[in-house]
Coordinates of all heavy atoms in Angstrom, one line a residue:
M29 N 0.4 166.9 -25.2 CA -0.3 166.2 -24.2 C -1.7 165.7 -24.7 O -2.4 166.6 -25.3 CB -0.5 167.0 -22.9 CG -1.0 166.3 -21.8 SD -0.6 167.3 -20.3 CE -2.1 167.1 -19.4
T30 N -2.0 164.5 -24.6 CA -3.2 164.0 -25.1 C -4.3 164.0 -24.0 O -4.0 163.9 -22.8 CB -3.1 162.5 -25.6 OG1 -2.7 161.7 -24.5 CG2 -2.1 162.4 -26.7
Y31 N -5.5 164.2 -24.5 CA -6.6 164.2 -23.6 C -6.9 162.8 -23.0 O -6.9 161.8 -23.8 CB -7.9 164.7 -24.3 CG -9.1 164.6 -23.4 CD1 -9.4 165.4 -22.3 CD2 -10.0 163.5 -23.6 CE1 -10.5 165.3 -21.5 CE2 -11.2 163.4 -22.8 CZ -11.4 164.3 -21.8 OH -12.5 164.2 -21.0
R32 N -7.0 162.6 -21.7 CA -7.2 161.3 -21.1 C -8.5 161.5 -20.2 O -8.5 162.3 -19.3 CB -6.0 161.0 -20.3 CG -6.1 159.6 -19.7 CD -4.8 159.2 -19.1 NE -5.0 158.0 -18.4 CZ -4.0 157.4 -17.7 NH1 -2.9 157.9 -17.7 NH2 -4.3 156.2 -17.1
P33 N -9.5 160.7 -20.5 CA -10.7 160.8 -19.7 C -10.5 160.4 -18.3 O -9.5 159.6 -18.0 CB -11.7 159.8 -20.4 CG -10.9 158.9 -21.2 CD -9.6 159.7 -21.6
K34 N -11.3 160.9 -17.4 CA -11.1 160.6 -16.0 C -11.4 159.1 -15.8 O -12.4 158.6 -16.2 CB -12.1 161.4 -15.2 CG -11.9 161.5 -13.8 CD -12.8 162.5 -13.1 CE -12.4 162.9 -11.7 NZ -13.2 163.8 -11.1
N35 N -10.5 158.4 -15.2 CA -10.6 157.0 -14.9 C -11.1 156.7 -13.5 O -10.9 157.4 -12.6 CB -9.3 156.2 -15.1 CG -8.8 156.2 -16.5 OD1 -9.6 156.2 -17.4 ND2 -7.5 156.2 -16.7
S36 N -11.8 155.6 -13.4 CA -12.3 155.2 -12.1 C -11.1 154.5 -11.4 O -10.1 154.1 -12.0 CB -13.5 154.2 -12.2 OG -13.0 153.0 -12.8
A37 N -11.3 154.4 -10.1 CA -10.2 153.7 -9.3 C -10.0 152.3 -9.8 O -8.9 151.8 -9.8 CB -10.6 153.8 -7.8
T38 N -11.1 151.6 -10.2 CA -10.9 150.2 -10.6 C -10.2 150.2 -12.0 O -9.3 149.3 -12.1 CB -12.3 149.6 -10.9 OG1 -13.1 149.7 -9.6 CG2 -12.2 148.2 -11.2
A39 N -10.4 151.1 -12.9 CA -9.7 151.1 -14.2 C -8.2 151.4 -13.9 O -7.4 150.8 -14.5 CB -10.4 152.1 -15.1
L40 N -8.0 152.4 -13.1 CA -6.6 152.8 -12.8 C -5.9 151.6 -12.1 O -4.7 151.3 -12.4 CB -6.5 154.0 -11.9 CG -6.8 155.3 -12.6 CD1 -7.0 156.4 -11.6 CD2 -5.8 155.7 -13.6
A41 N -6.6 150.9 -11.2 CA -6.0 149.8 -10.5 C -5.6 148.7 -11.5 O -4.5 148.1 -11.4 CB -6.9 149.2 -9.5
K42 N -6.4 148.4 -12.5 CA -6.1 147.4 -13.5 C -4.9 147.9 -14.3 O -4.0 147.1 -14.7 CB -7.3 147.2 -14.4 CG -8.4 146.3 -13.7 CD -9.5 146.1 -14.6 CE -10.6 145.3 -13.9 NZ -11.8 145.2 -14.8
E43 N -4.9 149.2 -14.7 CA -3.9 149.7 -15.6 C -2.5 149.6 -14.9 O -1.5 149.3 -15.5 CB -4.2 151.2 -15.9 CG -3.1 151.8 -16.8 CD -3.5 153.3 -17.2 OE1 -4.7 153.7 -17.0 OE2 -2.6 154.0 -17.6
Y44 N -2.4 149.9 -13.6 CA -1.2 149.9 -12.8 C -0.9 148.6 -12.0 O 0.0 148.5 -11.3 CB -1.1 151.1 -12.0 CG -1.0 152.4 -12.8 CD1 -2.1 153.2 -13.0 CD2 0.2 152.8 -13.4 CE1 -2.0 154.4 -13.7 CE2 0.3 153.9 -14.1 CZ -0.8 154.7 -14.3 OH -0.7 155.8 -15.1
N45 N -1.9 147.7 -12.2 CA -1.7 146.4 -11.5 C -1.6 146.5 -10.0 O -0.7 146.0 -9.3 CB -0.6 145.6 -12.1 CG -0.7 144.1 -11.7 OD1 -1.7 143.6 -11.5 ND2 0.5 143.5 -11.6
V46 N -2.5 147.3 -9.4 CA -2.5 147.5 -7.9 C -4.0 147.3 -7.5 O -4.9 147.3 -8.3 CB -2.0 148.9 -7.5 CG1 -0.5 149.1 -7.8 CG2 -2.8 150.0 -8.1
N47 N -4.1 147.3 -6.2 CA -5.5 147.1 -5.6 C -6.2 148.4 -5.7 O -5.6 149.5 -5.5 CB -5.3 146.8 -4.1 CG -6.5 146.3 -3.4 OD1 -7.6 147.0 -3.5 ND2 -6.5 145.2 -2.8
P48 N -7.5 148.4 -6.0 CA -8.3 149.7 -6.1 C -8.3 150.5 -4.8 O -8.3 151.7 -4.9 CB -9.7 149.2 -6.4 CG -9.6 147.8 -7.0 CD -8.3 147.2 -6.4
S49 N -8.1 149.9 -3.7 CA -8.0 150.7 -2.4 C -6.8 151.5 -2.4 O -6.7 152.6 -1.8 CB -8.1 149.8 -1.2 OG -7.0 148.9 -1.1
T50 N -5.7 151.0 -3.1 CA -4.5 151.8 -3.1 C -4.7 153.1 -3.9 O -4.3 154.2 -3.5 CB -3.3 151.0 -3.8 OG1 -3.1 149.8 -3.0 CG2 -2.1 151.7 -3.9
I51 N -5.4 153.0 -5.0 CA -5.7 154.1 -5.8 C -6.6 155.1 -5.0 O -6.3 156.3 -5.0 CB -6.4 153.7 -7.1 CG1 -5.6 152.8 -8.0 CG2 -6.9 154.9 -7.9 CD1 -4.3 153.4 -8.5
S52 N -7.6 154.6 -4.3 CA -8.5 155.4 -3.5 C -7.7 156.2 -2.4 O -7.9 157.4 -2.2 CB -9.6 154.6 -2.9 OG -10.4 154.0 -3.9
T53 N -6.7 155.5 -1.8 CA -5.9 156.1 -0.8 C -5.0 157.2 -1.4 O -4.9 158.3 -0.8 CB -5.0 155.0 -0.1 OG1 -5.8 154.0 0.5 CG2 -4.1 155.6 1.0
I54 N -4.5 157.0 -2.5 CA -3.6 158.0 -3.2 C -4.4 159.2 -3.5 O -4.0 160.3 -3.3 CB -2.9 157.4 -4.4 CG1 -1.9 156.3 -4.0 CG2 -2.3 158.5 -5.3 CD1 -1.3 155.5 -5.1
L55 N -5.6 159.0 -4.1 CA -6.5 160.1 -4.5 C -7.0 160.9 -3.3 O -7.1 162.1 -3.4 CB -7.6 159.6 -5.3 CG -7.3 159.0 -6.7 CD1 -8.5 158.4 -7.4 CD2 -6.6 160.1 -7.6
A56 N -7.2 160.2 -2.2 CA -7.7 160.9 -1.0 C -6.7 161.7 -0.4 O -7.0 162.8 0.2 CB -8.2 159.8 0.0
S57 N -5.4 161.4 -0.5 CA -4.3 162.1 0.1 C -3.5 162.9 -1.0 O -2.3 163.2 -0.8 CB -3.4 161.2 0.9 OG -3.1 160.1 0.2
K58 N -4.1 163.2 -2.1 CA -3.5 163.8 -3.2 C -2.7 165.1 -2.8 O -1.6 165.3 -3.2 CB -4.5 164.1 -4.3 CG -3.9 164.8 -5.5 CD -5.0 165.1 -6.6 CE -4.5 165.9 -7.7 NZ -5.5 166.2 -8.7
S59 N -3.4 166.0 -2.1 CA -2.8 167.3 -1.8 C -1.6 167.1 -0.9 O -0.6 167.8 -1.0 CB -3.8 168.3 -1.2 OG -4.3 167.8 0.0
K60 N -1.7 166.2 0.1 CA -0.6 166.0 1.0 C 0.6 165.4 0.2 O 1.7 165.8 0.5 CB -1.0 165.0 2.1 CG 0.0 164.8 3.1 CD -0.5 163.8 4.2 CE 0.6 163.5 5.2 NZ 0.2 162.6 6.2
L61 N 0.3 164.5 -0.7 CA 1.4 163.8 -1.5 C 2.1 164.9 -2.4 O 3.3 164.9 -2.5 CB 0.8 162.7 -2.3 CG 0.4 161.5 -1.5 CD1 -0.3 160.5 -2.4 CD2 1.6 160.8 -0.9
L62 N 1.3 165.8 -3.0 CA 1.9 166.8 -3.8 C 2.8 167.7 -3.0 O 3.8 168.1 -3.5 CB 0.8 167.6 -4.6 CG 0.1 166.8 -5.7 CD1 -1.1 167.6 -6.2 CD2 1.0 166.5 -6.8
E63 N 2.3 168.1 -1.8 CA 3.1 168.9 -1.0 C 4.4 168.3 -0.6 O 5.5 168.9 -0.6 CB 2.3 169.3 0.3 CG 3.1 170.2 1.3 CD 2.3 170.4 2.5 OE1 1.0 170.3 2.5 OE2 2.9 170.7 3.6
M64 N 4.4 167.0 -0.3 CA 5.6 166.2 0.1 C 6.5 166.1 -1.1 O 7.7 166.1 -0.9 CB 5.2 164.9 0.7 CG 4.4 165.0 2.0 SD 3.9 163.4 2.5 CE 5.1 163.1 3.8
Y65 N 5.9 165.9 -2.3 CA 6.7 165.8 -3.5 C 7.5 167.1 -3.7 O 8.7 167.1 -4.1 CB 5.9 165.5 -4.7 CG 6.6 165.4 -6.0 CD1 7.4 164.2 -6.3 CD2 6.6 166.4 -6.9 CE1 8.1 164.1 -7.4 CE2 7.4 166.3 -8.1 CZ 8.1 165.2 -8.3 OH 8.8 165.1 -9.5
E66 N 6.8 168.3 -3.5 CA 7.5 169.5 -3.7 C 8.6 169.8 -2.7 O 9.6 170.4 -3.0 CB 6.5 170.7 -3.6 CG 5.5 170.7 -4.7 CD 4.4 171.8 -4.6 OE1 4.4 172.5 -3.5 OE2 3.5 171.8 -5.4
K67 N 8.5 169.2 -1.5 CA 9.6 169.3 -0.5 C 10.6 168.1 -0.6 O 11.5 168.0 0.2 CB 8.9 169.2 0.9 CG 8.1 170.4 1.2 CD 7.5 170.2 2.6 CE 6.6 171.4 3.0 NZ 6.0 171.3 4.3
N68 N 10.5 167.4 -1.7 CA 11.4 166.3 -2.0 C 11.4 165.2 -1.0 O 12.4 164.5 -0.7 CB 12.8 166.8 -2.2 CG 13.7 165.8 -3.0 OD1 13.2 165.0 -3.7 ND2 15.0 165.9 -2.7
L69 N 10.2 164.9 -0.3 CA 10.1 163.9 0.7 C 9.6 162.6 0.0 O 9.8 161.5 0.6 CB 9.2 164.3 1.8 CG 9.6 165.5 2.6 CD1 8.5 165.9 3.6 CD2 10.9 165.2 3.3
V70 N 9.0 162.7 -1.1 CA 8.6 161.5 -1.9 C 9.0 161.8 -3.4 O 9.1 162.9 -3.8 CB 7.1 161.3 -1.8 CG1 6.7 160.9 -0.4 CG2 6.3 162.4 -2.3
G71 N 9.1 160.7 -4.1 CA 9.4 160.8 -5.5 C 9.4 159.5 -6.2 O 9.2 158.4 -5.5
P72 N 9.6 159.4 -7.5 CA 9.6 158.2 -8.2 C 10.6 157.2 -7.7 O 10.4 156.0 -7.7 CB 9.8 158.6 -9.6 CG 9.7 160.0 -9.7 CD 9.8 160.6 -8.3
E73 N 11.7 157.6 -7.2 CA 12.8 156.7 -6.8 C 12.6 156.3 -5.3 O 13.4 155.4 -4.9 CB 14.2 157.4 -7.0 CG 14.5 158.5 -6.1 CD 13.8 159.8 -6.3 OE1 13.1 160.0 -7.3 OE2 13.8 160.7 -5.4
K74 N 11.7 156.9 -4.6 CA 11.5 156.6 -3.2 C 10.3 155.7 -3.0 O 9.2 156.0 -3.5 CB 11.4 157.8 -2.4 CG 12.6 158.7 -2.5 CD 12.5 160.0 -1.7 CE 13.7 160.8 -1.8 NZ 13.6 162.1 -1.1
K75 N 10.4 154.6 -2.3 CA 9.3 153.7 -2.1 C 8.5 154.1 -0.8 O 7.4 153.7 -0.7 CB 9.8 152.3 -2.0 CG 10.4 151.8 -3.3 CD 10.7 150.3 -3.2 CE 11.3 149.9 -4.5 NZ 10.8 148.6 -4.9
R76 N 9.2 154.8 0.1 CA 8.5 155.1 1.4 C 8.6 156.6 1.6 O 9.6 157.2 1.2 CB 9.1 154.4 2.5 CG 9.1 152.9 2.4 CD 7.9 152.3 3.1 NE 8.0 150.8 3.2 CZ 7.6 150.0 2.2 NH1 7.1 150.5 1.1 NH2 7.6 148.7 2.4
M77 N 7.7 157.1 2.3 CA 7.8 158.5 2.8 C 8.5 158.5 4.1 O 8.1 157.9 5.1 CB 6.4 159.1 3.0 CG 5.7 159.4 1.7 SD 4.1 160.3 2.0 CE 3.1 158.8 2.3
K78 N 9.6 159.2 4.1 CA 10.4 159.2 5.4 C 10.2 160.6 6.0 O 10.7 161.6 5.5 CB 11.9 159.0 5.0 CG 12.8 159.1 6.2 CD 12.8 157.8 7.0 CE 13.9 157.9 8.0 NZ 13.6 157.4 9.3
L79 N 9.5 160.7 7.0 CA 9.3 161.9 7.7 C 10.1 162.0 9.0 O 10.3 161.0 9.7 CB 7.8 162.1 8.1 CG 6.8 162.0 6.9 CD1 5.4 162.1 7.5 CD2 7.1 163.1 6.0
S80 N 10.7 163.1 9.2 CA 11.5 163.3 10.4 C 10.7 163.3 11.7 O 9.6 163.9 11.7 CB 12.3 164.6 10.2 OG 13.0 164.8 11.4
S81 N 11.2 162.7 12.7 CA 10.6 162.8 14.0 C 10.9 164.1 14.7 O 10.3 164.5 15.7 CB 11.0 161.6 14.9 OG 10.7 160.4 14.3
Y82 N 11.9 164.7 14.2 CA 12.4 166.0 14.7 C 12.3 167.0 13.6 O 13.3 167.5 13.1 CB 13.9 165.8 15.1 CG 14.1 164.7 16.2 CD1 14.4 163.4 15.8 CD2 13.8 164.9 17.5 CE1 14.6 162.4 16.7 CE2 14.0 163.9 18.4 CZ 14.3 162.7 18.0 OH 14.5 161.7 18.9
D83 N 11.1 167.4 13.3 CA 10.9 168.4 12.2 C 11.6 169.7 12.5 O 12.1 170.3 11.5 CB 9.4 168.6 12.1 CG 9.0 169.3 10.8 OD1 9.6 168.9 9.7 OD2 8.2 170.2 10.8
D84 N 11.7 170.2 13.7 CA 12.3 171.4 14.0 C 13.8 171.3 13.7 O 14.4 172.3 13.2 CB 12.1 171.9 15.4 CG 12.3 170.9 16.5 OD1 12.6 169.7 16.1 OD2 12.3 171.2 17.7
V85 N 14.4 170.2 14.0 CA 15.9 170.0 13.7 C 16.1 169.9 12.2 O 17.0 170.5 11.7 CB 16.4 168.7 14.4 CG1 17.9 168.5 14.0 CG2 16.3 168.8 15.9
Y86 N 15.2 169.2 11.6 CA 15.3 169.1 10.1 C 15.2 170.4 9.4 O 16.0 170.8 8.6 CB 14.1 168.2 9.6 CG 14.0 168.1 8.1 CD1 14.9 167.3 7.4 CD2 13.1 168.8 7.4 CE1 14.8 167.2 6.0 CE2 13.0 168.7 6.0 CZ 13.8 167.9 5.3 OH 13.8 167.8 4.0
K87 N 14.3 171.3 9.8 CA 14.1 172.6 9.3 C 15.3 173.5 9.5 O 15.8 174.2 8.7 CB 12.9 173.3 9.8 CG 11.6 172.7 9.2 CD 10.4 173.4 9.8 CE 9.1 172.7 9.3 NZ 7.9 173.3 9.9
A88 N 15.9 173.4 10.7 CA 17.1 174.2 11.1 C 18.3 173.7 10.2 O 19.0 174.6 9.7 CB 17.4 174.0 12.6
V89 N 18.5 172.4 10.1 CA 19.6 171.9 9.3 C 19.4 172.3 7.8 O 20.4 172.7 7.2 CB 19.7 170.4 9.4 CG1 20.7 169.8 8.4 CG2 20.1 170.0 10.8
I90 N 18.2 172.2 7.3 CA 18.0 172.6 5.9 C 18.3 174.1 5.7 O 18.9 174.5 4.7 CB 16.5 172.3 5.5 CG1 16.3 170.8 5.4 CG2 16.2 172.9 4.1 CD1 17.2 170.0 4.4
Y91 N 17.8 174.9 6.6 CA 18.1 176.3 6.6 C 19.6 176.6 6.6 O 20.1 177.4 5.8 CB 17.4 177.1 7.7 CG 17.6 178.6 7.7 CD1 16.9 179.4 6.8 CD2 18.6 179.2 8.5 CE1 17.2 180.7 6.7 CE2 18.8 180.5 8.4 CZ 18.1 181.3 7.6 OH 18.4 182.7 7.5
W92 N 20.3 176.0 7.5 CA 21.7 176.1 7.7 C 22.4 175.7 6.4 O 23.3 176.4 5.8 CB 22.2 175.3 8.8 CG 23.7 175.1 8.9 CD1 24.6 176.0 9.4 CD2 24.5 174.0 8.4 NE1 25.9 175.5 9.3 CE2 25.8 174.3 8.7 CE3 24.2 172.8 7.8 CZ2 26.9 173.4 8.4 CZ3 25.2 171.9 7.5 CH2 26.5 172.2 7.8
F93 N 22.0 174.6 5.8 CA 22.6 174.0 4.6 C 22.4 175.0 3.4 O 23.3 175.3 2.7 CB 22.0 172.7 4.3 CG 22.5 172.0 3.0 CD1 23.7 171.4 3.0 CD2 21.8 172.1 1.8 CE1 24.2 170.8 1.9 CE2 22.3 171.6 0.7 CZ 23.5 170.9 0.7
D94 N 21.2 175.5 3.3 CA 20.9 176.5 2.2 C 21.8 177.7 2.4 O 22.3 178.3 1.4 CB 19.4 176.9 2.3 CG 18.5 175.8 1.7 OD1 19.0 174.9 1.1 OD2 17.3 175.9 2.0
Q95 N 21.9 178.2 3.6 CA 22.8 179.4 3.8 C 24.2 179.1 3.5 O 24.9 180.0 2.9 CB 22.6 179.9 5.3 CG 21.2 180.3 5.7 CD 20.7 181.4 4.7 OE1 21.3 182.4 4.6 NE2 19.6 181.1 4.1
I96 N 24.8 178.0 3.9 CA 26.1 177.6 3.5 C 26.3 177.6 2.0 O 27.3 178.1 1.5 CB 26.5 176.2 4.1 CG1 26.6 176.3 5.7 CG2 27.8 175.7 3.6 CD1 27.7 177.1 6.2
Q97 N 25.4 177.0 1.3 CA 25.5 176.9 -0.1 C 25.3 178.2 -0.8 O 26.0 178.5 -1.7 CB 24.4 175.9 -0.7 CG 24.5 174.5 -0.2 CD 25.7 173.8 -0.9 OE1 26.6 174.4 -1.5 NE2 25.8 172.6 -0.9
K98 N 24.4 179.0 -0.3 CA 24.1 180.3 -0.9 C 25.2 181.3 -0.7 O 25.6 182.0 -1.7 CB 22.8 180.8 -0.3 CG 22.2 182.1 -0.9 CD 20.9 182.4 -0.3 CE 20.2 183.6 -0.9 NZ 18.9 183.9 -0.3
Y99 N 25.7 181.5 0.5 CA 26.7 182.5 0.7 C 28.1 182.1 0.7 O 29.0 182.9 0.5 CB 26.3 183.2 2.1 CG 25.0 183.9 2.0 CD1 23.9 183.4 2.8 CD2 24.8 185.0 1.2 CE1 22.7 184.0 2.7 CE2 23.6 185.6 1.2 CZ 22.5 185.1 1.9 OH 21.3 185.8 1.9
N100 N 28.4 180.9 1.0 CA 29.8 180.4 1.1 C 30.2 179.5 -0.1 O 31.4 179.3 -0.3 CB 30.1 179.7 2.4 CG 29.9 180.6 3.6 OD1 30.1 181.8 3.5 ND2 29.3 180.0 4.6
N101 N 29.2 179.0 -0.9 CA 29.5 178.2 -2.0 C 30.4 177.0 -1.7 O 31.4 176.7 -2.4 CB 30.1 179.0 -3.2 CG 29.9 178.3 -4.5 OD1 29.1 177.4 -4.6 ND2 30.8 178.6 -5.4
L102 N 30.2 176.4 -0.5 CA 31.0 175.3 0.0 C 30.3 174.0 -0.3 O 29.1 173.9 -0.4 CB 31.2 175.4 1.5 CG 31.9 176.6 2.0 CD1 31.9 176.6 3.6 CD2 33.4 176.6 1.5
T103 N 31.2 173.0 -0.5 CA 30.6 171.6 -0.6 C 30.5 171.1 0.8 O 31.4 171.1 1.6 CB 31.6 170.7 -1.4 OG1 31.8 171.3 -2.7 CG2 31.1 169.3 -1.5
V104 N 29.3 170.6 1.1 CA 29.0 170.1 2.5 C 28.7 168.6 2.4 O 27.9 168.1 1.5 CB 27.8 170.8 3.0 CG1 27.5 170.3 4.4 CG2 28.0 172.3 3.0
S105 N 29.4 167.8 3.2 CA 29.2 166.4 3.3 C 28.4 166.0 4.5 O 28.1 166.8 5.4 CB 30.5 165.6 3.3 OG 31.1 165.8 4.5
G106 N 28.0 164.7 4.6 CA 27.3 164.2 5.7 C 28.1 164.4 7.0 O 27.5 164.6 8.1
C107 N 29.4 164.3 6.9 CA 30.3 164.5 8.1 C 30.2 165.9 8.6 O 30.5 166.1 9.8 CB 31.7 164.1 7.7 SG 32.0 162.4 7.3
D108 N 29.9 166.8 7.7 CA 29.7 168.2 8.2 C 28.3 168.5 8.7 O 28.1 169.3 9.6 CB 29.9 169.2 7.0 CG 31.3 169.1 6.3 OD1 32.3 168.9 7.1 OD2 31.4 169.1 5.1
I109 N 27.3 167.7 8.2 CA 25.9 168.0 8.6 C 25.6 167.3 9.9 O 24.9 167.9 10.7 CB 25.0 167.4 7.5 CG1 25.2 168.2 6.2 CG2 23.5 167.5 7.9 CD1 24.5 167.6 5.0
Q110 N 26.2 166.2 10.2 CA 25.9 165.5 11.5 C 26.2 166.3 12.7 O 25.3 166.4 13.6 CB 26.6 164.1 11.5 CG 26.0 163.1 10.7 CD 26.7 161.8 10.8 OE1 27.9 161.7 10.8 NE2 26.0 160.7 10.9
P111 N 27.4 166.9 12.9 CA 27.6 167.7 14.1 C 26.7 168.9 14.2 O 26.2 169.3 15.2 CB 29.1 168.1 13.9 CG 29.6 167.4 12.8 CD 28.5 166.8 12.0
Q112 N 26.3 169.5 13.0 CA 25.4 170.6 13.0 C 24.0 170.2 13.4 O 23.4 170.9 14.2 CB 25.4 171.3 11.6 CG 24.8 172.6 11.6 CD 25.7 173.7 12.4 OE1 26.9 173.6 12.4 NE2 25.0 174.6 13.0
A113 N 23.6 169.0 13.0 CA 22.3 168.5 13.4 C 22.3 168.2 14.9 O 21.3 168.6 15.6 CB 22.0 167.3 12.6
L114 N 23.3 167.7 15.4 CA 23.4 167.4 16.8 C 23.4 168.7 17.6 O 22.8 168.8 18.7 CB 24.7 166.6 17.2 CG 24.7 165.2 16.8 CD1 26.1 164.5 16.9 CD2 23.7 164.4 17.6
K115 N 24.1 169.7 17.1 CA 24.1 171.0 17.8 C 22.7 171.6 17.8 O 22.2 172.1 18.9 CB 25.0 172.0 17.0 CG 25.1 173.4 17.6 CD 26.1 174.2 16.7 CE 26.0 175.6 17.0 NZ 26.9 176.4 16.1
F116 N 22.0 171.6 16.7 CA 20.6 172.1 16.7 C 19.7 171.3 17.6 O 18.9 171.9 18.3 CB 20.1 172.1 15.2 CG 20.7 173.2 14.4 CD1 21.1 172.9 13.1 CD2 20.8 174.5 14.8 CE1 21.6 173.8 12.3 CE2 21.4 175.5 14.0 CZ 21.8 175.1 12.7
A117 N 19.8 170.0 17.6 CA 19.0 169.1 18.4 C 19.2 169.5 19.9 O 18.2 169.6 20.7 CB 19.3 167.7 18.2
T118 N 20.5 169.7 20.3 CA 20.8 170.0 21.7 C 20.1 171.4 22.0 O 19.5 171.6 23.1 CB 22.3 170.1 21.9 OG1 22.8 168.8 21.6 CG2 22.6 170.4 23.3
M119 N 20.3 172.3 21.1 CA 19.7 173.7 21.3 C 18.2 173.6 21.4 O 17.6 174.4 22.2 CB 20.1 174.6 20.2 CG 21.6 175.0 20.1 SD 22.1 175.8 18.6 CE 21.1 177.3 18.6
L120 N 17.6 172.7 20.7 CA 16.1 172.6 20.7 C 15.6 171.7 21.8 O 14.4 171.4 21.9 CB 15.6 172.2 19.3 CG 15.9 173.2 18.2 CD1 15.7 172.6 16.9 CD2 14.9 174.4 18.4
G121 N 16.5 171.1 22.6 CA 16.1 170.3 23.8 C 15.8 168.8 23.5 O 15.2 168.2 24.2
H122 N 16.3 168.3 22.4 CA 16.1 166.9 22.0 C 17.3 166.1 22.5 O 18.4 166.0 21.9 CB 16.0 166.7 20.5 CG 14.8 167.4 19.9 ND1 13.5 167.1 20.2 CD2 14.8 168.5 19.1 CE1 12.7 167.9 19.6 NE2 13.4 168.7 18.9
R123 N 17.2 165.5 23.7 CA 18.3 164.7 24.3 C 18.5 163.3 23.6 O 19.6 162.8 23.7 CB 18.0 164.5 25.8 CG 17.9 165.8 26.5 CD 17.7 165.6 28.0 NE 17.3 166.8 28.7 CZ 18.1 167.7 29.1 NH1 19.4 167.6 28.9 NH2 17.7 168.8 29.8
D124 N 17.5 162.8 23.0 CA 17.6 161.4 22.4 C 17.9 161.4 20.9 O 17.8 160.4 20.3 CB 16.3 160.6 22.7 CG 15.1 161.3 22.2 OD1 15.1 162.5 22.0 OD2 14.0 160.6 22.1
F125 N 18.2 162.6 20.4 CA 18.4 162.7 19.0 C 19.8 162.1 18.6 O 20.7 162.2 19.3 CB 18.5 164.2 18.6 CG 18.8 164.4 17.1 CD1 17.7 164.4 16.2 CD2 20.0 164.7 16.7 CE1 18.0 164.6 14.9 CE2 20.3 165.0 15.3 CZ 19.3 164.9 14.4
K126 N 19.7 161.4 17.4 CA 20.9 160.8 16.9 C 21.0 161.2 15.4 O 20.1 161.0 14.7 CB 20.9 159.2 17.0 CG 21.0 158.8 18.4 CD 20.9 157.3 18.5 CE 20.9 156.9 20.0 NZ 20.7 155.5 20.2
A127 N 22.2 161.7 15.0 CA 22.4 162.1 13.6 C 22.9 161.0 12.8 O 23.6 160.1 13.3 CB 23.3 163.3 13.6

């Protein structure tokens, strides 16, 4: 890894051909972006951050999925996940949830 001096937002903007305010916004929300990257909510292949409106349902489905994979070693498809997500949404009181 080579040493790279700290660049200003303007220099970075020129290097990546973006507006300096974009660089400032990214730097200001660095910790949040890193956290989202670790949770696989953002990444190089994703152009937008897609956050769930039903975070509790999302967490329940992820936990269920992890348990299925860990203990049953089953292949799970979207057709298997949708009914489970609807079940969790109902249990958590979300009447307008759509999987």
Side-chain angles (χ1 to χ4, degrees):
M29 188 163 140
T30 60
Y31 174 76
R32 185 173 174 178
K34 198 173 191 178
N35 291 331
S36 69
T38 305
L40 286 170
K42 285 180 184 177
E43 182 178 341
Y44 292 102
N45 196 28
V46 296
N47 193 308
S49 66
T50 301
I51 300 296
S52 297
T53 301
I54 291 169
L55 292 174
S57 49
K58 178 181 173 182
S59 62
K60 183 179 178 185
L61 290 170
L62 288 172
E63 180 184 334
M64 295 175 102
Y65 179 79
E66 289 173 5
K67 293 180 180 178
N68 199 27
L69 296 174
V70 296
E73 72 287 350
K74 297 179 182 179
K75 293 187 181 220
R76 303 268 190 273
M77 286 184 277
K78 177 79 168 138
L79 301 177
S80 173
S81 301
Y82 304 95
D83 195 45
D84 52 353
V85 176
Y86 174 78
K87 288 178 183 176
V89 170
I90 293 297
Y91 179 80
W92 169 82
F93 181 80
D94 287 342
Q95 297 304 305
I96 292 291
Q97 294 290 15
K98 187 175 182 180
Y99 295 111
N100 297 325
N101 199 24
L102 298 174
T103 302
V104 181
S105 71
C107 295
D108 301 318
I109 297 171
Q110 283 181 317
Q112 196 65 37
L114 287 168
K115 178 180 168 185
F116 287 135
T118 302
M119 290 169 60
L120 293 165
H122 299 294
R123 299 181 194 276
D124 57 342
F125 179 83
K126 294 181 182 170

